């Protein structure tokens, strides 16, 4: 029997000796990729970005009568001129399965190209990816492009077809919109900004187009609203379709949110190209001139027949514009909204001009709330981008009525007054026929800063029409007469002879010249050529406080 001594140290264990074996070989180094391999991988990734993650998504887009983002860019820009930026960018959001869905572009295609040879920046929502919804990476791409456009001094066009903020990304998506709005505002009056609505645009997303200079829409496929039909039904009980609430015709003719509405995307994008051909790239340049086949000395003999001498007779001001401008070609802004005033871009002797004109065919050409807003914004845009203003005046006054007064016609009319008074571009007003009251002053009269005020020999400038004036000035004589109607007719004729003859304003220097209608085109071209080097300074200030 063995015993263990207290404190004895156990014998050390002997480590097992491994049996002899062959040495394990090191893994062979991976082959070094060649430039051909790298190019192939780059091409694969870029092709995947172009095609999108779901081939069927393109078919679904076409089935809705809509083009894809890249097809739209191809129609907008000159052939093969598009250069994409951040085409391989992907989002980094997690949760709600987002980490499993990380397609390149993140649902927006951004870059630049040319339109008629001049640089234009463009971004286009890709509805095939997340329904074009905006997330953090998506917004960052747009921010980058907007910053580039502003730095380069080139127009920015957005092709909108998106489902609003990306719900899965929460507040970071909303913050992305804030960055867009801030940049829209910073670029306002510096570079032209054009929004083309080619799909849905709901909620806060609608404010970016509203901040831009022009909004194009396509009937049947584009809608804009802050709250959709379901919310409207829940809150107010009103039943309305998406098109009925915010379709192209609603915004083009009723709300004034859309500047233009077209039947198809191809026509819409072609008209965007035409508009860009009339605009300077930025506020430091003049609009692009073009060769004109229309002689500057061409007489406009037909104008005398187009405009009736009687102030009570109607006519179409568009026919007058067509006769004056180069080759009868003009581009009307807001053609379906506020029909009582016409705003258009055209050329005179190849130089771009802006035309603001009363339209006697609608409300006799009287100014109302909508017409004042439409013309004021147009005047401000043209002044910001160095486009001379030609104002064709035939206005009986502001539209009377309780609805107009309660709707703030004073406040809205002041917007047009403010816009003209603030404008420093060459300004010429031409009074074709009647110009009464405050509306005469507001329509760029000499007293608010028109460089030249011209008139036809058919003009009538007065506080009001002769009939109304006679009823006020000669009330006692008319009422006390044995034959009030005969006395009224006599006093009307007396008032016209004294204060409403065509040369009354010219005699007092309020009209610079009375011209033959047949000389209108020539006189305007010569006058604008003289004013081309005009320079006018505004008071030193942060900004004015325009009427709301």
């Amino acid at each position: 029997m063995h015993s263990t001594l207290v404190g004895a140290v156990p014998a050390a264990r002997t480590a097992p000796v491994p049996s002899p074996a062959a040495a394990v070989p090191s893994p062979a180094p991976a082959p070094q990729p060649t430039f051909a391999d790298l190019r192939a991988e780059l091409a694969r990734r870029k092709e995947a970005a172009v095609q999108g993650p779901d081939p069927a998504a393109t078919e679904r887009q076409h089935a809705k009568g809509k083009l894809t983002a890249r097809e739209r860019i191809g129609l907008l820009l000159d052939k093969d001129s598009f250069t994409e930026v951040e085409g391989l960018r992907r989002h980094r959001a997690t949760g709600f399965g987002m980490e499993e869905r990380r397609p390149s572009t993140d649902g927006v295609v951004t870059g630049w190209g040319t339109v008629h040879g001049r640089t234009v920046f463009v971004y286009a929502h890709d509805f095939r990816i997340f329904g074009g919804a905006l997330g953090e990476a998506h917004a960052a791409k747009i921010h980058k492009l907007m910053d580039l456009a502003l730095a380069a001094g080139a127009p920015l066009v957005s092709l909108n077809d998106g489902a609003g903020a990306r719900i899965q990304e929460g507040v970071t998506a909303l913050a992305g919109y804030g960055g867009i709005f801030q940049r829209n505002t910073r670029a306002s009056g510096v570079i032209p900004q054009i929004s083309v609505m080619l799909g849905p645009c709901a909620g806060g997303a609608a404010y970016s187009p509203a901040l831009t200079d022009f909004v194009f829409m396509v009937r049947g496929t584009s809608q804009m609203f802050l709250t959709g039909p379901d919310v409207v039904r829940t809150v107010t009980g009103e039943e309305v379709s998406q098109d009925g609430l915010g379709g192209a015709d609603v915004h083009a003719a009723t709300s004034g949110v859309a500047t233009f509405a077209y039947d198809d995307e191809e026509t819409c994008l072609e008209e965007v190209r035409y508009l860009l051909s009339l605009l300077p790239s930025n506020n430091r340049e003049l609009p692009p001139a073009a060769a004109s086949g229309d002689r500057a000395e061409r007489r406009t003999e037909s104008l005398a027949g187009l405009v009736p001498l009687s102030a009570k007779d109607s006519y179409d001001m568009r026919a007058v514009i067509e006769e004056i401008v180069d080759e009868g070609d003009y581009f009307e802004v807001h053609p379906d909204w506020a029909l009582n005033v016409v705003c258009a871009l055209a050329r005179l002797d190849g130089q771009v001009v802006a035309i603001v004109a009363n339209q006697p065919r609608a409300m006799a050409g009287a100014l109302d709330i909508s017409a004042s807003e439409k013309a004021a914004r147009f005047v401000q845009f043209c002044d910001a981008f160095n486009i001379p203003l030609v104002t064709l005046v035939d206005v009986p006054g502001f539209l009377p009525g309780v609805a107009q007064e309660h709707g703030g016609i004073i406040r809205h009319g002041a917007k047009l007054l403010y816009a003209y008074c603030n404008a420093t571009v060459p300004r010429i007003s031409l009074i074709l026929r009647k110009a009464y009251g405050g509306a005469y002053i507001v329509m760029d009269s000499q007293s608010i800063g028109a460089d030249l005020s011209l008139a036809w020999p058919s003009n009538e400038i007065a506080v009001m029409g002769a009939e109304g004036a006679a009823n006020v000035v000669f009330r006692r004589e008319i009422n006390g007469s044995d034959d009030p109607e005969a006395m009224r007719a006599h006093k009307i004729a007396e008032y016209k002879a004294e204060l409403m003859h065509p040369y009354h304003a010219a005699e007092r220097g309020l009209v610079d010249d009375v011209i033959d209608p047949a000389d209108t085109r020539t006189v305007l071209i010569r006058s604008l050529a003289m004013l081309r080097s005009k320079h006018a300074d505004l008071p030193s200030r942060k900004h004015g406080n325009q009427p709301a």
Side-chain angles (χ1 to χ4, degrees):
M1 187 175 178
H2 300 282
S3 61
T4 303
L5 298 175
V6 176
V9 179
R13 294 182 179 270
T14 302
V17 178
S19 60
V24 177
S26 301
Q32 185 70 22
T34 65
F35 267 110
D37 296 329
L38 296 176
R39 289 191 184 107
E41 174 65 8
L42 175 62
R44 184 192 66 77
R45 288 177 178 269
K46 288 198 169 185
E47 180 62 21
V50 170
Q51 296 299 326
D54 180 7
T58 300
E59 297 178 12
R60 290 194 295 270
Q61 185 82 342
H62 288 162
K64 296 175 183 176
K66 297 162 66 176
L67 301 175
T68 66
R70 295 177 189 276
E71 288 170 340
R72 290 162 174 166
I73 291 173
L75 288 174
L76 173 68
L77 300 178
D78 297 338
K79 186 177 180 181
D80 297 328
S81 70
F82 181 58
T83 299
E84 187 171 359
V85 291
E86 297 198 349
L88 301 177
R89 186 156 187 169
R90 302 193 296 170
H91 74 77
R92 55 187 178 185
T94 58
F96 307 102
M98 291 294 288
E99 60 273 13
E100 304 298 327
R101 303 169 61 201
R102 300 181 64 233
S104 296
T105 75
D106 200 43
V108 63
V109 182
T110 56
W112 74 88
T114 59
V115 173
H116 302 300
R118 295 191 301 149
T119 299
V120 172
F121 288 80
V122 59
Y123 69 86
H125 297 132
D126 191 343
F127 197 83
R128 302 175 306 164
I129 298 174
F130 300 126
L134 180 140
E136 180 188 28
H138 180 123
K141 290 180 62 175
I142 296 174
H143 296 168
K144 167 78 172 182
L145 191 83
M146 296 177 81
D147 291 341
L148 281 173
L150 193 58
L156 174 69
V157 179
S158 63
L159 306 180
N160 298 269
D161 185 8
R166 196 173 296 170
I167 299 172
Q168 297 93 327
E169 295 195 32
V171 71
T172 56
L174 294 177
Y177 275 123
I180 294 173
F181 303 157
Q182 183 189 48
R183 287 167 173 81
N184 284 140
T185 304
R186 191 186 306 155
S188 180
V190 181
I191 57 172
Q193 299 180 84
I194 298 173
S195 297
V196 188
M197 314 311 296
L198 301 168
C201 184
Y207 279 114
S208 177
L211 288 168
T212 61
D213 300 308
F214 300 98
V215 177
F216 288 72
M217 294 187 75
V218 175
R219 295 182 178 94
T221 59
S222 60
Q223 302 89 27
M224 295 174 67
F225 36 70
L226 293 181
T227 55
D230 293 340
V231 175
V232 170
R233 185 184 307 110
T234 301
V235 175
T236 70
E238 297 169 289
E239 291 287 343
V240 65
S241 66
Q242 286 198 347
D243 266 346
L245 182 62
D249 287 323
V250 168
H251 285 311
T254 304
S255 73
V257 171
T259 324
F260 310 98
Y262 297 99
D263 291 330
D264 57 79
E265 295 189 19
E266 291 83 357
T267 303
C268 179
L269 292 168
E270 183 58 37
E271 292 299 280
V272 174
R273 286 176 56 86
Y274 181 57
L275 174 59
L276 286 166
S277 75
L278 297 169
L279 304 180
S281 292
N282 56 65
N283 65 340
R284 299 182 301 277
E285 298 181 5
L286 294 174
S292 174
D294 201 343
R295 293 183 307 109
E297 299 80 15
R298 173 173 59 82
R299 289 176 62 79
T300 48
E301 298 283 0
S302 66
L303 289 180
L306 289 173
V307 180
L309 287 177
S310 172
K312 295 181 179 180
D313 291 341
S314 178
Y315 65 95
D316 190 350
M317 183 62 79
R318 292 184 178 94
V320 174
I321 296 171
E322 189 173 331
E323 176 64 16
I324 293 172
V325 302
D326 288 359
E327 298 163 344
D329 188 24
Y330 64 93
F331 190 65
E332 188 172 354
V333 174
H334 280 298
D336 301 316
W337 178 59
L339 302 181
N340 42 331
V341 69
V342 176
C343 298
L345 295 169
R347 293 184 186 273
L348 284 171
D349 198 29
Q351 302 293 329
V352 177
V353 297
I355 297 173
V356 180
N358 306 110
Q359 172 58 293
R361 288 189 66 176
M363 303 181 194
L367 290 173
D368 67 346
I369 290 171
S370 295
S372 298
E373 288 187 323
K374 170 180 168 178
R377 182 160 172 80
F378 183 66
V379 168
Q380 287 183 142
F381 172 83
C382 294
D383 183 53
F385 290 102
N386 310 311
I387 303 174
L389 290 160
V390 174
T391 304
L392 305 179
V393 185
D394 191 347
V395 62
F398 282 94
L399 186 68
V402 174
Q404 287 292 307
E405 295 293 349
H406 288 186
I409 184 61
I410 296 172
R411 177 165 51 85
H412 294 287
K415 293 178 182 177
L416 180 54
L417 181 61
Y418 187 99
Y420 270 126
C421 289
N422 208 44
T424 61
V425 292
R427 292 157 52 190
I428 300 174
S429 66
L430 172 62
I431 302 161
L432 277 61
R433 201 170 56 170
K434 58 187 179 297
Y436 297 159
Y440 153 65
I441 299 173
V442 168
M443 290 297 293
D444 205 19
S445 62
Q446 188 189 88
S447 61
I448 65 168
D451 296 298
L452 288 173
S453 181
L454 308 171
W456 286 355
S458 51
N459 82 84
E460 293 181 354
I461 304 174
V463 175
M464 63 177 67
E467 291 80 0
N471 288 336
V472 174
V473 177
F474 305 113
R475 181 185 297 113
R476 290 183 180 179
E477 291 93 327
I478 292 172
N479 291 339
S481 171
D482 293 336
D483 188 347
E485 289 306 314
M487 178 60 72
R488 179 179 289 106
H490 171 70
K491 291 300 182 181
I492 288 172
E494 181 182 333
Y495 185 84
K496 281 186 175 182
E498 181 67 25
L499 294 177
M500 295 185 67
H501 63 79
Y503 305 100
H504 179 74
E507 291 169 1
R508 285 153 180 79
L510 297 175
V511 167
D512 294 297
D513 197 11
V514 179
I515 66 172
D516 185 332
D519 295 328
T520 298
R521 173 178 164 83
T522 302
V523 171
L524 288 176
I525 288 173
R526 290 178 179 175
S527 300
L528 288 167
M530 177 273 294
L531 289 166
R532 198 161 294 144
S533 58
K534 174 187 175 181
H535 176 77
D537 290 321
L538 289 171
S540 178
R541 59 184 174 185
K542 189 173 182 181
H543 56 73
N545 187 19
Q546 177 184 325

